[in-house]
Amino acid sequence: MELSSGIGTIKGIGAKTEELFHKIGVYTLGDILLHYPKDYNKLPAITPLAELPDKFQTGTEGITAALAIHIQKTPFVKSARSMQITTLQVQEQDVHLDVVWFRMPYLKSTLSLGSWFVFLGKVTRKGNGYHMEQPQILAPEKYNAMQNCLWPSYALTAGLSKNKLSQTIQQVLKELDLSKDYLPEEVRNRHQLAEYNFAIENIHFPESEQALASARKRLIFDEFFQFILAAGMQKEQMEEIQNDFSFLPLEDKLWSDEVMEQLPYQLTGAQLRTLQEIRNDLRGKKVMQRLVQGDVGSGKTIIAFLAMLDASQSSYQSALMAPTEVLAQQHYQTFTSLCQENGLNIPIILLTGSLTQKEKRRAYERMELYPNAMVIGTHALIQERAIFDNLALVITDEQHRFGVKQRETLFLKGAQPHTLVMSATPIPRTLGIILYGDLDISVIDEVPAKRLPVKSCVVGKNSRKTSYDFIAKEIQNGHQIYVVCPLVEESEGLEMENVTDYAETLKKNLPKGTVVEYLHGKMKSGRKNLIMEQFARNEIQVLVSTTVIEVGVNVPNATVMMIEDAQRFGLAQLHQLRGRVGRGEAQSYCIMINTTDSEKAKKRLEILNQSNDGFYIASEDLKLRGPGDFFGIRQSGLLEFRLGDIYQNADLLKMASEEAQVILAEDRQLTSEKYHFVKEQIQRYLKEQIEIANL
């Protein structure tokens, strides 16, 4: 078996289970090894049943507990809907507990009278008593022996259990030979990095906290090292490319200048400076390789449009690749309106994965027919059938969502076109130089003066009712609401709010007639697009979502962003989410619900109350957490690293950068035998990046 073998090749995984694995992004044996735990837990201390009420605080709906149970009654079994249900009733003092198992009738003989067991699972209130479903059953002595172990929690989907996932990972680790380590021994020794096989085993099944820390250190180093090495190899290929495009001289009457004069607002000084840097690059001796970094709401989109307008006027095609269909559709509509308002007859072509085959064929035909077209799309732009006729400018929006390989693939669609990448992710300059060392950087560090700053507050979980009342008032005033949850659906071992259940909770707590809908990244693109279009038209008042709405969505009528389990997100990502509101003229608000009592979490979240400046927030976050905090909250989504976080792992980022630069200085394209295994790994990394893009 190989890393590239399908997950269905594992014994015991049939077609239905294979489909469940696909739902969590696991297609191959390599994928399941990279499906890292989201968290690690120690088993809770054993609680006598009589003390269970003390564990429930006001408003608590359920807790994970290990209950010491004395079997005083024989369980009874009944059949319902072709299923056998085993029920045990337990009473201790005045505390009553009902325990239920499905399809496990043999427990009637296992749970013998007079025996003691530990029941591990979720306990909920039910009437005047408590209720437990499908708890694990362990002998007290076995449970005591397990208590100091670290138990991983994974992102799951309905129908796929934690046990099934863990068993499959164990099986894959046995089947694959992972003893060959691509990383040179001297690099491992220099930085005390664990071998890869040790790291991958201990990230899933840690022998101890120290072993887990060593595993994470090695795997995070690998993520950064491979990213920087791949970018460095690409830089070598691109930095000496001559500019063979003839853009109109700046002295000519440019359409972009005329459009700026007609805009209902003035561009900020930072926007004008960035635009000038781009214009100069387009007319320079070398092909442009530039990053535009701008905070949420700083006006990067209009800069992209004006640059593409420059290309069209000079009789060249340009392409803008967005990370989601929703954002691509939004750019298409914005650009179409701007051209119509300014009397510009420029072909604007939309190309996304959800178009019908007939619509795609029409888009391909127009791309070949119009040599000055603006083409806007998603990853569909880098597929083989998308052929450009005269491509001079390539723009990728929300750069952190695209890997090195996607950038290169889109670049190769033209005859060495100019490249502009845009990101709203604030990154401190010291880290930005490492991550984007192959690019010139422009920073838009001003926001339009007319925008009202978003008012933010951090509240505890006991303030949910007050928050719901506030949301109801905003809805009555004709406004709309975003609610963000960390999970798509309930996940075993992770006591966090999830999108599907939370949408139902809001329907019960908000005024009758309020339309509540949910959105998450696992939904089909057609369904996601429909929901976002309905939200944009105010046919949906409350949108409950995962962080899929973090990227670029523009609904000016939305005035409240409420974030559940806010302490679970990195500050840069919270700032990105906050940027989804405050886009209209009305005052907007961000409510962050902190569900822990941690003083550290409170201090982190308080930074967001102090400033709306994303770069300040990122820098303060870096200072507060410091590098090397392996078990801290990561900036999920940032640059798509699975484990690494450029803020809390800044020391490893710098270490990986230094090692990558040593290798690149010695052998830029890794052609020597010494770096044979390193090159193989980078090739696998780039292949994985493009496969992720095409899913």
Side-chain angles (χ1 to χ4, degrees):
M1 286 187 178
E2 303 289 336
L3 286 168
S4 58
S5 301
I7 194 68
T9 58
I10 292 293
K11 186 179 178 181
I13 295 182
K16 287 185 179 179
T17 306
E18 186 176 10
E19 187 58 36
L20 292 175
F21 275 109
H22 290 177
K23 283 187 176 182
I24 62 170
V26 171
Y27 294 84
T28 67
L29 306 191
D31 289 339
I32 198 167
L33 293 183
L34 296 177
H35 188 73
Y36 299 137
K38 293 177 73 70
D39 205 350
Y40 299 86
N41 302 303
K42 284 190 175 181
L43 296 178
I46 297 175
T47 301
L49 182 59
E51 296 178 13
L52 183 59
D54 298 335
K55 297 287 183 181
F56 276 80
Q57 299 174 352
T58 305
T60 302
E61 296 176 2
I63 61 169
T64 298
L67 300 179
I69 300 297
H70 187 215
I71 308 300
Q72 297 171 316
K73 289 184 179 180
T74 302
F76 60 90
V77 180
K78 65 178 182 179
S79 295
R81 298 179 184 176
S82 304
M83 183 194 304
Q84 288 182 304
I85 302 173
T86 304
T87 302
L88 174 68
Q89 295 181 337
V90 186
Q91 183 84 27
E92 189 173 318
Q93 297 180 22
D94 58 349
V95 179
H96 180 78
L97 173 72
D98 286 323
V99 192
V100 175
W101 293 271
F102 303 101
R103 297 188 177 93
M104 299 173 76
Y106 58 84
L107 290 178
K108 184 174 182 179
S109 56
T110 302
L111 299 171
S112 52
L113 288 174
S115 300
W116 281 91
F117 293 96
V118 175
F119 288 0
L120 174 65
K122 189 171 182 179
V123 185
T124 57
R125 283 196 178 93
K126 193 169 184 180
N128 293 323
Y130 297 90
H131 182 79
M132 227 178 179
E133 282 187 11
Q134 220 72 9
Q136 288 180 259
I137 305 168
L138 300 107
E141 58 274 15
K142 183 177 181 181
Y143 188 85
N144 286 328
M146 293 166 56
Q147 259 195 280
N148 290 325
C149 296
L150 289 167
W151 299 93
S153 295
Y154 293 92
L156 299 171
T157 189
L160 184 63
S161 70
K162 182 174 69 175
N163 287 342
K164 182 62 178 176
L165 184 67
S166 294
Q167 288 168 7
T168 306
I169 293 171
Q170 286 175 326
Q171 207 169 337
V172 171
L173 287 170
K174 287 179 184 176
E175 296 281 353
L176 293 177
D177 179 9
L178 301 173
S179 59
K180 185 176 74 175
D181 199 324
Y182 84 94
L183 199 61
E185 186 177 1
E186 62 266 25
V187 176
R188 297 200 308 269
N189 292 340
R190 187 154 50 240
H191 301 294
Q192 298 179 313
L193 296 171
E195 291 187 9
Y196 179 76
N197 54 0
F198 174 90
I200 204 69
E201 287 179 20
N202 278 273
I203 198 70
H204 291 290
F205 307 108
E207 299 169 359
S208 63
E209 287 192 22
Q210 185 178 358
L212 176 58
S214 294
R216 285 179 61 88
K217 179 181 178 180
R218 167 61 199 268
L219 296 174
I220 292 170
F221 176 92
D222 278 10
E223 288 184 331
F224 293 153
F225 179 73
Q226 291 167 28
F227 176 87
I228 295 165
L229 205 54
M233 291 170 70
Q234 177 177 279
K235 179 183 181 183
E236 172 74 11
Q237 297 168 4
M238 301 180 71
E239 64 186 0
E240 293 302 322
I241 297 174
Q242 297 293 318
N243 179 11
D244 292 329
F245 301 101
S246 299
F247 277 70
L248 291 177
L250 290 175
E251 304 82 55
D252 284 15
K253 188 176 183 181
L254 298 180
W255 292 345
S256 51
D257 285 327
E258 294 179 12
V259 168
M260 281 192 283
E261 290 173 5
Q262 298 302 316
L263 290 173
Y265 54 86
Q266 284 190 328
L267 296 187
T268 64
Q271 285 175 304
L272 291 170
R273 182 181 66 243
T274 298
L275 180 61
Q276 191 60 46
E277 289 169 347
I278 293 168
R279 283 175 163 178
N280 292 339
D281 284 352
L282 294 176
R283 293 160 178 84
K285 292 181 180 180
K286 306 290 184 185
V287 164
M288 175 174 70
Q289 294 287 307
R290 182 168 293 278
L291 166 72
V292 174
Q293 249 191 316
D295 210 344
V296 284
S298 62
K300 296 180 298 300
T301 302
I302 188 64
I303 299 301
F305 173 76
L306 294 171
M308 293 173 78
L309 199 57
D310 206 349
S312 290
Q313 189 179 2
S314 300
S315 300
Y316 294 121
Q317 287 181 331
S318 56
L320 171 61
M321 185 164 69
T324 66
E325 294 209 5
V326 171
L327 191 51
Q329 286 271 3
Q330 188 172 286
H331 286 327
Y332 174 75
Q333 291 163 3
T334 300
F335 288 14
T336 300
S337 297
L338 283 166
C339 284
Q340 289 172 348
E341 291 164 6
N342 288 276
L344 297 169
N345 188 24
I346 298 172
I348 301 179
I349 302 168
L350 179 68
L351 181 59
T352 63
S354 66
L355 295 180
T356 64
Q357 287 304 314
K358 183 178 179 181
E359 289 169 332
K360 284 180 182 176
R361 279 196 302 271
R362 176 62 179 149
Y364 298 147
E365 289 169 2
R366 296 183 71 210
M367 286 166 64
E368 293 189 44
L369 185 61
Y370 297 109
N372 69 329
M374 294 182 181
V375 186
I376 299 169
T378 54
H379 293 101
L381 293 178
I382 62 177
Q383 292 175 351
E384 286 184 18
R385 292 188 62 194
I387 300 171
F388 291 84
D389 176 63
N390 192 28
L391 186 61
L393 174 62
V394 165
I395 302 176
T396 53
D397 193 8
E398 294 299 340
Q399 161 61 17
H400 68 283
R401 296 285 168 143
F402 299 107
V404 174
K405 189 63 177 177
Q406 289 94 307
R407 250 167 61 190
E408 182 184 15
T409 305
L410 186 54
F411 174 83
L412 293 174
K413 287 289 183 179
Q416 300 176 327
H418 296 283
T419 301
L420 183 68
V421 294
M422 302 195 301
S423 178
T425 304
I427 299 174
R429 181 169 176 76
T430 52
L431 304 185
I433 290 170
I434 294 173
L435 292 165
Y436 299 117
D438 57 328
L439 302 171
D440 296 316
I441 300 177
S442 295
V443 178
I444 304 179
D445 50 8
E446 298 176 61
V447 293
K450 65 175 184 177
R451 288 199 171 174
L452 292 171
V454 177
K455 292 184 178 179
S456 304
C457 66
V458 180
V459 299
K461 55 192 174 186
N462 293 336
S463 296
R464 282 198 184 105
K465 178 66 171 63
T466 306
S467 300
Y468 296 160
D469 292 342
F470 180 76
I471 285 171
K473 287 180 183 177
E474 285 294 301
I475 293 169
Q476 287 170 356
N477 291 332
H479 298 308
Q480 291 163 273
I481 316 297
Y482 289 109
V483 178
V484 170
C485 298
L487 298 179
V488 171
E489 55 194 19
E490 188 172 3
S491 186
E492 189 175 354
L494 296 176
E495 293 181 7
M496 292 184 276
E497 296 298 337
N498 68 85
V499 164
T500 48
D501 291 344
Y502 207 91
E504 293 303 314
T505 299
L506 286 176
K507 286 175 185 176
K508 296 172 186 174
N509 284 276
L510 293 175
K512 192 175 180 181
T514 302
V515 181
V516 180
E517 190 54 85
Y518 66 81
L519 181 75
H520 56 76
K522 295 182 181 179
M523 297 166 70
K524 291 184 178 178
S525 58
R527 176 67 178 159
K528 284 192 287 189
N529 290 339
L530 175 62
I531 290 170
M532 281 309 309
E533 287 165 8
Q534 290 175 331
F535 189 63
R537 294 194 296 265
N538 201 3
E539 294 169 11
I540 295 170
Q541 284 75 58
V542 181
L543 183 61
V544 185
S545 174
T546 56
T547 55
V548 70
I549 55 92
E550 167 194 356
V551 179
V553 192
N554 186 32
V555 181
N557 192 48
T559 58
V560 179
M561 167 63 71
M562 186 165 85
I563 304 167
E564 278 285 353
D565 296 294
Q567 77 284 351
R568 291 276 176 174
F569 300 97
L571 294 192
Q573 189 169 38
L574 289 171
H575 179 63
Q576 286 276 88
L577 291 169
R578 178 168 62 179
R580 296 306 104 219
V581 296
R583 293 172 169 260
E585 295 182 0
Q587 178 63 58
S588 291
Y589 308 88
C590 181
I591 304 168
M592 291 165 280
I593 298 183
N594 176 16
T595 55
T596 72
D597 296 323
S598 164
E599 286 300 319
K600 186 176 180 181
K602 289 177 185 176
K603 191 174 180 182
R604 283 184 62 246
L605 293 173
E606 189 56 35
I607 293 172
L608 288 157
N609 281 342
Q610 297 168 2
S611 176
N612 282 296
D613 181 341
F615 291 95
Y616 168 80
I617 290 166
S619 297
E620 289 299 303
D621 196 11
L622 181 61
K623 280 192 272 184
L624 181 63
R625 291 190 291 171
D629 180 9
F630 291 128
F631 302 100
I633 302 303
R634 70 190 296 269
Q635 302 282 359
S636 55
L638 186 59
L639 287 162
E640 295 302 321
F641 294 124
R642 284 185 169 90
L643 286 176
D645 178 291
I646 66 167
Y647 296 94
Q648 67 191 34
N649 306 126
D651 57 341
L652 284 176
L653 178 62
K654 292 169 184 173
M655 183 193 301
S657 175
E658 289 166 4
E659 288 297 341
Q661 295 310 321
V662 168
I663 291 175
L664 290 169
E666 184 178 328
D667 184 358
R668 177 69 69 168
Q669 293 305 314
L670 309 180
T671 53
S672 68
E673 184 62 28
K674 179 180 179 181
Y675 296 123
H676 174 72
F677 293 138
V678 176
K679 188 169 185 177
E680 278 188 353
Q681 181 60 33
I682 296 303
Q683 288 170 338
R684 275 195 295 270
Y685 169 80
L686 291 173
K687 185 173 182 289
E688 178 193 77
Q689 293 298 308
I690 199 67
E691 285 173 350
I692 290 170
N694 286 326
L695 288 180

